[in-house]
Amino acid sequence: MENHASEKRTALAFIVLMGIVSLFLDMTHEGAASILGDFLSLAGASAAAIGFVSGLGELVIYCHKRISKKKKTG
């Protein structure tokens, strides 16, 4: 009985830890995405180049999500 309770506690700790990791990953991604335009501007990129890179990044993310979803559902 104690072993079962210990396993439950370990599983819960793992789930909470993965949630915290996911939170920090999401915060990092959103923070980086929000300053991409300013960074490219600082690096000397034109407005067209910034728009192209930002749009291409969104396209890649969208396609990856679609492909992953299709693979997941079979």
Side-chain angles (χ1 to χ4, degrees):
M1 204 48 128
E2 285 181 27
N3 191 21
H4 184 66
S6 175
E7 288 176 358
K8 273 185 150 180
R9 200 169 31 250
T10 302
L12 181 61
F14 179 76
I15 291 169
V16 169
L17 180 64
M18 288 296 105
I20 292 170
V21 168
S22 178
L23 170 71
F24 282 110
L25 178 66
D26 193 40
M27 289 184 343
T28 302
H29 173 265
E30 294 299 328
S34 70
I35 64 169
L36 178 63
D38 291 334
F39 174 72
L40 291 174
S41 176
L42 184 64
S46 67
I50 293 170
F52 178 76
V53 169
S54 297
L56 183 64
E58 291 294 323
L59 177 67
V60 168
I61 291 170
Y62 176 74
C63 290
H64 183 269
K65 286 180 180 180
R66 294 272 302 187
I67 292 169
S68 297
K69 190 174 186 180
K70 283 185 179 182
K71 285 183 179 179
K72 189 176 185 180
T73 59

